[in-house]
Amino acid sequence: MVLPMHDSSAPQPLQAAKSGPLTGTVLAPGDKSISHRALILGAMTVGETRIEGLLEAEDVVNTAGAMRSLGASLERLGTGAWRVQGVGVGGFSQPDGPLDFGNSGTGCRLSMGAVATTPIAATFTGDASLCRRPMKRVLEPLAAFGLGWSGNDKGLLPLTLTGAADPLPIRYILKVPSAQVKSALLLAALNVPGTSTIIEPIATRDHTERMLRAFGAAISLEETAEGMAISITGETDLKPAAIAVPADPSSAAFPLVAALITPGSDILLERVMLNPSRTGILQTLKEMGGDITIENERDIGGEIVGDIRVRHSALKGVDVPPERAPSMIDEFPVLSIAAAFAEGPTTMRGLEELRVKESDRLSAVAAGLKSCGVAVTESPDGLVVEGCGPEGVKGGGHVLTHMDHRIAMSFLVMGGASREPVHVDDSAMIATSFPNFESLMAGPGALIQRPNS
Ligand code: S3P
């Protein structure tokens, strides 16, 4: 299957103008974290894994390509419907060429873990943004299993990894609160004789743990004084599972904030995943006075899912507790947009991780807000956004997105409710996580279009 990829040489500017009320029902695309994991775990399982609702965005398509290069067979049966025939734990074969993960830190780091304990060599690469992002956070703990790597001392892509021939179990306390690092280590532990224990002092999203259990892995969790200890006994076979991917709360956050800040709006976001390790944005927006209610809460394949009703609200600024950061780590750009429309300051701290995402999100958000007439103070680990209150946001900015999909989408949401249109320099990266963003936002009434069209 070939899904359209963006032409990275041609920037695609977009502009959002003030719209009327947003109304109707919205189904955000499948969850990106779950989609990557379903493909990787399916590839590490003997037998057929069926996936429904897979996010067919560039990031996930690149992970599918990497799993194919490693020997698994993946077939697209229809929209979001995929069949994976895996090669089993330890069954990956040496790829013929580099594994290119494009813009995706998750696809890249999880796949590094998946190959780290299989004796093959594989070169990992990605786009200019991914080649700037730190890989040592995952390579150094994987080296304790016996992984070798070469390319450069900085631990930046492109890098060639040589999986351990005789891997040893590890006990490792995470140094950064990163679900990507945790997941890479858990995937590596699958092919290691004996029991490895990964200890997480600060909780991060737990989709890997849940999905490993669904695939029959020997995994156990124990609360300890050091944090959650996740133990995996390796060299046991995984059993194929059926995965239904719910809507991505990180993508749903864009229409959600758009509805909160656009007068008269009332929308329903369907089938959104409500895993507690991902719902910090809902909690924060409710504290800001957002009229957000959950309806029809249910369990789909081990994840809590619900429909979210959102109505336009007069928001007030809040202090976001730093310990909440991991549960909304990707939502700070769009929260900053909500904060700009609120009354009073919103303080966000403990966010040094945002400097090593697809872009330096603290500086990209601060620059974008300033260009739209919003006062903001940037510190090494956070932002204070001075809300414009009832007067509203001026807008009119030309925002640099720095190859970051979430910066582009956040400022397009801002343009829908500010006095003057907001322009983003390049929307091409939106395809990495939310390919139908423009049409999905147009459904309830957003006005997003090419400049001068
Ligand atoms: C992800 C974890 C987060 C998040 C990323 C997806 C995952 O990264 O920012 O978009 O699927 O595990 P970190 O775990 O590195 O914070």
Side-chain angles (χ1 to χ4, degrees):
M1 188 223 33
V2 182
L3 287 172
M5 303 295 272
H6 71 265
D7 172 4
S8 54
S9 60
Q12 295 168 20
L14 267 189
Q15 188 163 297
K18 195 176 175 85
S19 75
L22 304 179
T23 54
T25 299
V26 172
L27 178 61
D31 186 72
K32 185 149 71 72
S33 294
I34 292 191
S35 295
H36 284 296
R37 286 159 172 80
L39 294 179
I40 296 171
L41 278 178
M44 298 177 83
T45 302
V46 177
E48 180 176 305
T49 291
R50 288 283 188 128
I51 308 169
E52 297 293 334
L54 189 87
L55 169 66
E56 293 176 324
E58 286 177 12
D59 278 7
V60 176
V61 170
N62 283 327
T63 293
M67 293 303 115
R68 272 194 200 105
S69 302
L70 291 163
S73 124
L74 294 88
E75 196 186 344
R76 183 178 191 250
L77 307 173
T79 306
W82 286 62
R83 173 163 55 204
V84 182
Q85 296 280 354
V87 292
V89 169
F92 286 143
S93 46
Q94 184 147 317
D96 291 336
L99 306 177
D100 188 343
F101 292 91
N103 194 246
S104 177
T106 307
C108 178
R109 293 186 178 123
L110 267 56
S111 299
M112 285 179 161
V115 304
T117 50
T118 300
I120 56 170
T123 298
F124 285 66
T125 192
D127 69 10
S129 157
L130 192 58
C131 288
R132 284 192 290 267
R133 297 181 65 187
M135 294 297 153
K136 276 192 182 166
R137 56 177 52 202
V138 61
L139 294 168
E140 284 177 354
L142 286 173
F145 284 116
L147 172 79
W149 53 278
S150 62
N152 58 77
D153 293 341
K154 295 188 198 122
L156 298 177
L157 299 184
L159 291 166
T160 299
L161 273 59
T162 308
D166 296 304
L168 297 168
I170 65 167
R171 182 180 185 281
Y172 181 77
I173 303 179
L174 289 170
K175 295 190 180 125
V176 270
S178 165
Q180 294 179 357
V181 176
K182 169 179 68 174
S183 302
L185 299 177
L186 294 175
L187 293 171
L190 283 173
N191 197 35
V192 179
T195 300
S196 297
T197 301
I198 313 305
I199 297 152
E200 186 176 50
I202 301 172
T204 65
R205 65 191 70 192
D206 62 354
H207 308 302
T208 306
E209 296 90 308
R210 287 172 190 250
M211 210 182 282
L212 278 167
R213 201 169 291 123
F215 277 84
I219 178 168
S220 65
L221 272 67
E222 191 195 348
E223 296 259 19
T224 69
E226 291 164 303
M228 183 64 79
I230 310 154
S231 295
I232 281 224
T233 304
E235 291 193 327
T236 58
D237 287 338
L238 300 177
K239 299 179 199 64
I243 306 289
V245 186
D248 193 326
S250 300
S251 297
F254 298 106
L256 195 162
V257 168
L260 284 177
I261 63 176
T262 308
S265 297
D266 183 347
I267 65 169
L268 187 73
L269 299 158
E270 290 184 308
R271 268 174 68 93
V272 182
M273 184 175 58
L274 298 172
N275 179 315
S277 64
R278 299 284 297 280
T279 48
I281 183 71
L282 295 180
Q283 197 180 344
T284 305
L285 290 169
K286 280 187 192 170
E287 286 169 9
M288 293 173 80
D291 183 349
I292 299 171
T293 48
I294 310 288
E295 302 172 359
N296 194 14
E297 208 168 304
R298 57 220 188 259
D299 185 301
I300 298 188
E303 293 282 2
I304 310 163
V305 170
D307 303 330
I308 307 179
R309 178 100 187 256
V310 193
R311 297 181 182 91
H312 170 253
S313 309
L315 301 176
K316 59 180 189 327
V318 292
D319 285 355
V320 185
E323 61 275 12
R324 195 180 291 163
S327 69
M328 52 180 294
I329 195 68
D330 291 334
E331 283 69 77
F332 285 97
V334 78
L335 176 69
S336 304
I337 304 304
F341 285 85
E343 179 142 32
T346 293
T347 306
M348 306 169 232
R349 284 175 300 120
L351 301 181
E352 42 284 283
E353 275 295 299
L354 293 198
R355 297 212 180 267
V356 290
K357 293 292 180 189
E358 286 84 330
S359 70
D360 174 344
R361 287 186 172 158
L362 295 179
S363 88
V365 166
L369 288 177
K370 282 179 193 158
S371 80
C372 291
V374 180
V376 54
T377 313
E378 182 184 346
S379 63
D381 76 334
L383 294 176
V384 180
V385 177
E386 301 295 338
C388 299
E391 190 190 315
V393 170
K394 176 178 151 298
H398 281 242
V399 176
L400 301 180
T401 52
H402 299 282
M403 297 185 76
D404 190 328
H405 53 136
R406 296 197 204 278
I407 299 297
M409 290 186 278
S410 297
F411 282 95
L412 291 169
V413 165
M414 172 171 260
S418 52
R419 292 194 292 281
E420 297 168 26
V422 173
H423 176 107
V424 301
D425 66 333
D426 189 9
S427 61
M429 304 315 289
I430 292 174
T432 63
S433 72
F434 200 154
N436 62 338
F437 176 75
E438 280 177 66
S439 61
L440 183 138
M441 294 296 290
L447 301 176
I448 299 175
Q449 51 183 221
R450 316 262 144 211
N452 308 320
S453 67

